[in-house]
Amino acid sequence: MVRPRLLVVSMSLPVTAKRTGEEEWSFTMSPGGLVSALLGLKEFETKWIGWPGVDVHDAVGKKALSIVLAEKGCIPVFLEEVCDQYYNGYCNNILWPIFHYLGTPPEYRNDATITYQSQYDAYKKANRIFFDVVKEHYQEGDVVWCHDYHVMLLPQYLKEYNSKMKVGWFLHTPFPSSEMYKTLPSRSELLRSVLTADLVGFHTYDFARHFVNACMCILGIEATSEGVADQGKFTRVAVFPIGIEPERFINTSKLSEVTEYMKKFKSDFGGRKLILGVDRLDTIKGIPHKYQAFEKFLEENEDWRGKVLLLQIAVPTRNGIGEYQKIKDQCHGLVGRINGRFGSISSVPIIHLDCSIDFHQLCALYAITDVLLVTSLRDGMNLVSSEFVACQNAEKGVLVLSEFAGAGQSLGAGALLVNPWNIKEVSNAIGEALSMPPEEKERKHQINFQYVKTHSTQQWADDFMNKLNEVTSSKAELQTGKAPHELPQEVVVRQYSKSKNRLLILGFYGTLTKPKKDQERRGEGMNLELHPQLKERLKALCSDPKTTVVVLSRSEKSILDQNFREHDMWLAAENGMFLRHSSGEWVTKMPENMNLEWIDGVKQVFKYFTERTPGSYFQTSETSVVWNYQYADAEFGRAQAKDMLQHLWAGPTSNATVDVVQGRYSVEVHSVGVTKGSAMERILGEIVLQNKSITTPIDYVLCIGNFLGKDEDVYTFFEPELTKNTKSSLYYGSGPKKVSSTVVDVKGENYFSVAIGNKHTKASYFLDSSDDVVQLIHKLFTHNNP
C-alpha cells in the first residue's frame, strides 16, 4: 500500500550541511525530538523542505547538495539573495521580538537600505521561494505542514495555488496578546494568510486565545472556541503541547557511562545541593533574573551559604549580534559579583558555562539535580523541564518553573510556579524546593512523570496530523465541491404540495422582516416588524393542519409576541432558549446550570461603546447581548467593534463560558452552545410533547434564515443523511422517553435549506433578500388557496 506523503516545511532542515569539496558535502544531524517525531510518522512518507544552513551560490554545488539531501528525505531551499534581511531581519529582528513581548525594534538609522518595508519585502520573497519549492515537489494528495513564524505567508500561497491542498501551520513560539501583536507592521496580511490553513496549532491555550483575539480585534471577524470564521471559511484553531522523547532520556540515564558521570559530579560538587539551569543564552530566558533571585536567597539564608551550588549551562546563540553580547556581559558581571560576595577560596556559589555539554553528561546532571530552575520571561514550551523530569530516578528533585513558559500549563501541577520578574518570589521558591520533604517531592515528580511519558513528541505529531485529517475530511464532506444554488421555488412548491406533514423553520430578522436596507430605527433599538405583505399569507399557511411553522430567532420574547400573537405557530425566542406555541405560555428550554453572571459586565461595555458610537445601539435578552452599528458610520463602527472585542476579552468574558460572535454590523455575546442547531432538538421535543398523537412522520422540511455563521448548524440538522441520528436523539421535553422513529422521515428531494443574502454558507440554496421570501410564501399560500 502506498503511503501518503507529508511535506514538512520549516526554516531549517533537520541536517546542517558543510561543503568539503566542489561536489562533496558532509552533514550533521540536528538534535531534538521534533526531527524524530516528524520523521517517525510511520503512516506518512515524510519529505522535509528547508534551508540547508549554508549559502550555495554556484549551480554545481546546488545540484550536488540537492542530490545528496534527497537520499536523506530532504529538499533544500536556497535563500542566498534574501537570507540576511529575511532571517536576520524580518524574522529575528521584527517577528521574534514581538512574539516574545520585547516590542518592535527601531528602524536602522545608519543604513537607509534596511527598513521595515525592505525586510518585509525580503520575507515575502523568501516565502515565495519556499512556495516554489513546495509547488515543484507537490503531488496530488500530499499533506503540507508549515512550521513557525518564518513561513506565515506560505499557507496563503499554497491555497491560492490549490485550494484543495491540505495545509497545517504550527507555531513553536508564544503568540502575543493582541495589544502587542497590533504593533506589528503588516499584521493583517500575516493573520489572513495563516487563516487560509486548514488547521492552526499552538503549544498552549493562552497562545491560541491570543491568536483568536488578534483575529477578532484586528480583522474584525467572527470567532468561537473552536476557531475563526472569515468570509464563509472556517479555520480550526487547536492546542497541541509538544513533548520530548521520554524513552531516550530514561534509557540514557540508566547507562553505565551516565552512572559514572553522576558519581563524578557528586564528588566534584562536594556534597552541595545542586540547582541546575539549562538555557540558550537569550534575552527571553531570564538568566539575569535567575542570578538576582539566587543572590537574594543567599543574602537572606546565611545557613545555606557554602551548601548549595547553581550550575548554569548557557548555550551560545547568534554570536556576533550586539544584543546577545550585552546579555552575555550582564550574566558574567552578575556571576562575578555573586561569587565575589559569597564565594571562598575552596568554592564559589555559581558555575556559569558558555557552552553546550555532551548529552550523557547532561542526563547525569538532570539525574542528580535537586532543583531545576527555569526563569523564562517568555517561552514557547521549554522542553528542558520535561527532560529533567524524565531523567530523575532515585532521588527526586524539584522543578521551579516560570509561569511564562509554555510548560507551566503542562507541568505546573507538579512544579513550583513563579513569576520570574518577582525576585523575592523566586528566592522563596528556591528555599521551599531545597527544604521540601521527600514524600512531597515524590508526589510532584509522579504527577509530572506521568504527563511526560504520555505526552511525547511522537504523540504531539500524531495528534496534529489526526486533527488535520479530521478537519479536512469534514470540510470535504460539507463542501462536496459545490456552492449553494439559487432556490428553485417551483420545485419547493411542487414537493410541498405532495407532502403530508410539513415543517417550516423560519428566521425572523432579515427573513420575515423588510429587507435590512429598509429597516427603521426606533429609540435605542430597531423596529423589527413582520413584512406587511406576509401577515395574512403566513397566517393562512399556519392554519393548514398539514403544516407546522416555527419562527426561530435570536430576538427576545416580547418582539415575537408582538409580531406573531395571531398566528397558529411555534415561537422560539433567543435561539430556542424560550419556546411556546402562540396559543400557550412560554416554556424555558435553557440548559441546566447555565451561568449568566457575565451579562451585567457585558452590558456596561456595550453601553460605553454605544455612547461613543453615534448611530449604534444594543439590545439585551435573558441569555445574550447584541451591539449593532449598522446605522453608524461603517468605518468608525468597525474600528469601535475591534476595540470592543479587546475590552470584552480582557474584562467580563475573560473567564466566562461564552461565545463572542462578530457579525457584519454587530457584536453578540451569548452562552456557549446557544445556537439554532443545538436548539432544534429541544424544539422538536416540545412540539412532539404537545402533539403526542402524531401518526404521519414529518416528510418535508423548509428551513430559511439570515443566520450568523455559528447558527448555520441548523441547516445540517435535518439533512437526510443525518435523519437517523436526529430521530434517535429526540425526547419528550426533559423526560427519558424517546420520540418514535416515525416522527421524521425526510427524503433528499423534500429537504430545502436556504440562506438569505449569503453564498458562503452551509445551506444548499440561497435567496437574495426577504423580498424573495415574500414571493415564496405567496406561492405556497396560492397552492393552499387556489
Side-chain angles (χ1 to χ4, degrees):
M1 179 179 177
V2 178
R3 293 182 299 166
R5 297 202 320 165
L6 171 65
L7 302 183
V8 175
V9 187
S10 65
M11 173 61 202
S12 300
L13 289 173
V15 295
T16 301
K18 181 179 180 181
R19 195 163 194 170
T20 56
E22 185 178 4
E23 298 185 30
E24 296 179 353
W25 296 86
S26 65
F27 300 95
T28 303
M29 193 71 181
S30 302
L34 176 61
V35 175
S36 300
L38 297 180
L39 295 180
L41 286 167
K42 296 179 176 57
E43 66 272 27
F44 289 95
E45 177 191 347
T46 302
K47 301 290 183 183
W48 202 306
I49 297 173
W51 184 54
V54 62
D55 291 338
V56 187
H57 298 278
D58 61 299
V60 173
K62 289 181 179 179
K63 182 178 180 180
L65 179 57
S66 298
I67 292 173
V68 179
L69 283 173
E71 297 173 358
K72 302 178 181 296
C74 295
I75 302 167
V77 177
F78 298 108
L79 300 168
E80 286 72 29
E81 55 186 300
V82 296
C83 193
D84 185 53
Q85 289 213 44
Y86 159 63
Y87 182 66
N88 294 324
Y90 199 79
C91 290
N92 290 335
N93 186 54
I94 296 178
L95 288 180
W96 192 91
I98 289 177
F99 280 24
H100 290 86
Y101 292 82
L102 300 178
T104 309
E107 297 240 27
Y108 289 94
R109 299 302 180 192
N110 58 347
D111 190 342
T113 65
I114 303 178
T115 64
Y116 287 139
Q117 190 59 48
S118 70
Q119 293 174 82
Y120 185 54
D121 289 343
Y123 185 83
K124 290 191 289 186
K125 190 169 185 178
N127 274 252
R128 279 288 179 190
I129 295 173
F130 274 100
F131 163 70
D132 289 338
V133 176
V134 174
K135 182 174 71 171
E136 179 184 351
H137 293 273
Y138 176 79
Q139 298 175 8
E140 192 66 33
D142 286 356
V143 178
V144 184
W145 190 358
C146 308
H147 286 266
D148 238 349
Y149 56 92
H150 309 92
V151 289
M152 293 181 73
L153 291 176
L154 183 58
Q156 179 176 338
Y157 296 159
L158 295 172
K159 286 292 191 176
E160 287 173 350
Y161 168 68
N162 185 343
S163 62
K164 295 183 180 180
M165 187 183 295
K166 295 181 180 180
V167 179
W169 183 79
F170 189 88
L171 183 65
H172 292 270
T173 70
F175 193 92
S177 68
S178 57
E179 282 300 301
M180 175 61 69
Y181 183 80
K182 275 164 49 173
T183 65
L184 175 65
S186 61
R187 61 195 184 185
S188 298
E189 296 94 318
L190 295 180
L191 286 179
R192 289 203 180 277
S193 175
V194 170
L195 287 177
T196 61
D198 298 295
L199 175 63
V200 176
F202 299 91
H203 282 310
T204 74
Y205 285 101
D206 282 347
F207 303 161
R209 177 169 54 85
H210 290 162
F211 174 79
V212 170
N213 290 353
C215 291
M216 295 174 66
C217 298
I218 295 170
L219 303 180
I221 58 181
E222 180 182 342
T224 71
S225 56
E226 295 291 304
V228 179
D230 182 20
Q231 300 175 347
K233 178 187 181 301
F234 187 80
T235 302
R236 185 74 165 85
V237 179
V239 176
F240 306 91
I242 197 170
I244 62 171
E245 296 175 271
E247 296 304 324
R248 177 177 178 235
F249 287 88
I250 293 170
N251 294 335
T252 301
S253 299
K254 297 176 182 178
L255 296 177
S256 59
E257 181 183 353
V258 173
T259 303
E260 290 302 315
Y261 276 129
M262 292 167 60
K263 293 177 182 177
K264 181 181 184 302
F265 291 151
K266 285 184 178 182
S267 174
D268 291 345
F269 300 152
R272 288 182 291 174
K273 295 284 189 179
L274 176 61
I275 301 175
L276 180 64
V278 181
D279 305 277
R280 286 183 294 107
L281 185 59
D282 207 325
T283 52
I284 65 165
K285 294 299 183 177
I287 299 176
H289 300 71
K290 185 183 303 186
Y291 286 155
Q292 292 172 42
F294 186 57
E295 181 178 34
K296 183 74 172 175
F297 172 74
L298 294 177
E299 284 177 355
E300 297 183 347
N301 297 274
E302 187 174 347
D303 292 344
W304 277 104
R305 296 175 191 173
K307 299 179 181 178
V308 62
L309 168 68
L310 171 56
L311 171 59
Q312 176 64 50
I313 300 169
V315 181
T317 57
R318 305 179 193 176
N319 290 327
I321 297 179
E323 289 300 316
Y324 291 87
Q325 187 59 47
K326 287 181 183 178
I327 194 72
K328 184 176 182 180
D329 292 342
Q330 183 183 8
C331 290
H332 289 178
L334 286 167
V335 171
R337 185 180 79 193
I338 296 168
N339 284 345
R341 289 184 64 189
F342 302 106
S344 65
I345 294 175
S346 58
S347 68
V348 291
I350 298 178
I351 297 176
H352 178 100
L353 301 179
D354 284 319
C355 62
S356 57
I357 65 171
D358 172 78
F359 180 65
H360 290 167
Q361 292 181 339
L362 178 62
C363 289
L365 285 173
Y366 281 146
I368 66 171
T369 290
D370 296 286
V371 179
L372 182 75
L373 188 54
V374 179
T375 53
S376 303
L377 307 181
R378 292 287 170 185
D379 227 342
M381 180 53 71
N382 193 291
L383 296 178
V384 165
S385 306
S386 296
E387 295 171 1
F388 162 73
V389 171
C391 290
Q392 291 277 292
N393 190 7
E395 299 177 11
K396 305 303 188 295
V398 179
L399 174 60
V400 177
L401 180 58
S402 167
E403 64 187 59
F404 297 111
Q409 289 192 6
S410 303
L411 301 178
L416 298 179
L417 290 177
V418 294
N419 175 2
W421 298 94
N422 188 332
I423 301 303
K424 175 65 173 174
E425 181 181 320
V426 179
S427 171
N428 291 341
I430 292 172
E432 182 181 351
L434 290 171
S435 305
M436 185 175 290
E439 58 273 13
E440 181 63 9
K441 291 182 184 179
E442 180 67 32
R443 187 186 71 81
K444 287 183 174 294
H445 169 76
Q446 289 301 327
I447 292 173
N448 281 344
F449 186 72
Q450 289 304 314
Y451 181 88
V452 169
K453 280 207 69 174
T454 55
H455 292 77
S456 65
T457 314
Q458 186 68 57
Q459 187 63 49
W460 164 81
D462 288 339
D463 288 346
F464 187 93
M465 295 310 300
N466 289 338
K467 179 61 70 173
L468 178 59
N469 185 60
E470 173 191 319
V471 168
T472 52
S473 297
S474 63
K475 283 184 178 180
E477 291 174 5
L478 286 175
Q479 295 169 356
T480 57
K482 60 184 181 183
H485 302 289
E486 185 172 357
L487 183 68
Q489 296 196 21
E490 299 306 321
V491 176
V492 172
V493 175
R494 183 174 68 245
Q495 296 305 115
Y496 177 90
S497 65
K498 294 179 180 179
S499 57
K500 298 178 180 179
N501 190 359
R502 311 146 184 155
L503 176 64
L504 274 55
I505 304 163
L506 307 175
F508 180 45
Y509 175 53
T511 305
L512 301 179
T513 62
K514 290 181 180 179
K516 290 183 178 182
K517 58 183 176 64
D518 298 330
Q519 292 291 318
E520 299 176 356
R521 278 199 68 190
R522 182 179 64 189
E524 294 185 351
M526 185 181 296
N527 185 16
L528 289 180
E529 292 184 351
L530 181 64
H531 198 298
Q533 296 180 35
L534 282 177
K535 290 183 179 179
E536 296 305 318
R537 296 167 184 171
L538 190 59
K539 190 180 299 183
L541 280 184
C542 294
S543 63
D544 183 350
K546 293 183 179 180
T547 304
T548 301
V549 179
V550 177
V551 173
L552 178 55
S553 172
R554 72 179 183 182
S555 298
E556 54 191 296
K557 295 179 288 186
S558 59
I559 292 177
L560 298 188
D561 282 338
Q562 175 185 330
N563 283 278
F564 300 104
R565 66 168 65 96
E566 298 177 358
H567 293 71
D568 184 12
M569 63 166 55
W570 286 88
L571 304 177
E574 299 188 30
N575 276 357
M577 291 297 101
F578 302 94
L579 181 69
R580 83 174 180 95
H581 191 272
S582 53
S583 62
E585 300 296 324
W586 285 103
V587 177
T588 300
K589 308 302 291 183
M590 197 180 305
E592 294 182 8
N593 304 318
M594 179 177 285
N595 189 333
L596 300 175
E597 295 178 357
W598 50 268
I599 284 185
D600 288 340
V602 170
K603 286 168 61 177
Q604 291 301 314
V605 173
F606 281 13
K607 182 174 183 292
Y608 174 90
F609 279 91
T610 298
E611 292 171 351
R612 288 157 179 78
T613 312
S616 71
Y617 63 93
F618 75 93
Q619 295 174 304
T620 304
S621 64
E622 294 185 47
T623 59
S624 65
V625 189
V626 182
W627 182 69
N628 193 296
Y629 60 92
Q630 75 172 25
Y631 298 113
D633 176 82
E635 185 173 348
F636 182 65
R638 282 192 292 270
Q640 291 289 78
K642 293 177 183 179
D643 286 343
M644 172 187 285
L645 293 170
Q646 186 65 30
H647 280 71
L648 290 172
W649 282 107
T653 68
S654 59
N655 294 311
T657 308
V658 297
D659 281 332
V660 180
V661 182
Q662 183 159 16
R664 188 174 180 186
Y665 297 109
S666 65
V667 176
E668 177 181 355
V669 183
H670 59 249
S671 295
V672 169
V674 181
T675 68
K676 290 179 170 63
S678 63
M680 267 322 301
E681 183 177 322
R682 299 190 296 271
I683 294 169
L684 278 179
E686 189 66 24
I687 291 174
V688 172
L689 181 65
Q690 299 296 325
N691 298 275
K692 294 182 180 179
S693 59
I694 290 179
T695 57
T696 304
I698 295 171
D699 59 355
Y700 178 97
V701 175
L702 173 62
C703 180
I704 308 179
N706 175 53
F707 301 141
L708 292 173
K710 56 94 182 177
D711 286 327
E712 289 207 340
D713 53 354
V714 72
Y715 291 138
T716 60
F717 186 86
F718 280 104
E719 285 184 349
E721 60 267 31
L722 301 179
T723 299
K724 185 176 180 180
N725 293 334
T726 302
K727 289 183 295 188
S728 63
S729 61
L730 300 180
Y731 292 85
Y732 288 116
S734 58
K737 186 176 180 181
K738 291 185 178 180
V739 173
S740 165
S741 60
T742 61
V743 170
V744 180
D745 185 18
V746 182
K747 300 297 188 297
E749 64 271 16
N750 276 10
Y751 177 67
F752 302 93
S753 56
V754 189
I756 307 297
N758 179 19
K759 297 181 183 179
H760 298 282
T761 175
K762 293 179 182 178
S764 299
Y765 303 98
F766 72 90
L767 291 172
D768 288 328
S769 75
S770 60
D771 285 339
D772 297 315
V773 179
V774 172
Q775 295 180 16
L776 178 61
I777 297 295
H778 175 70
K779 291 176 180 177
L780 296 177
F781 164 78
T782 302
H783 164 75
N784 278 359
N785 300 272

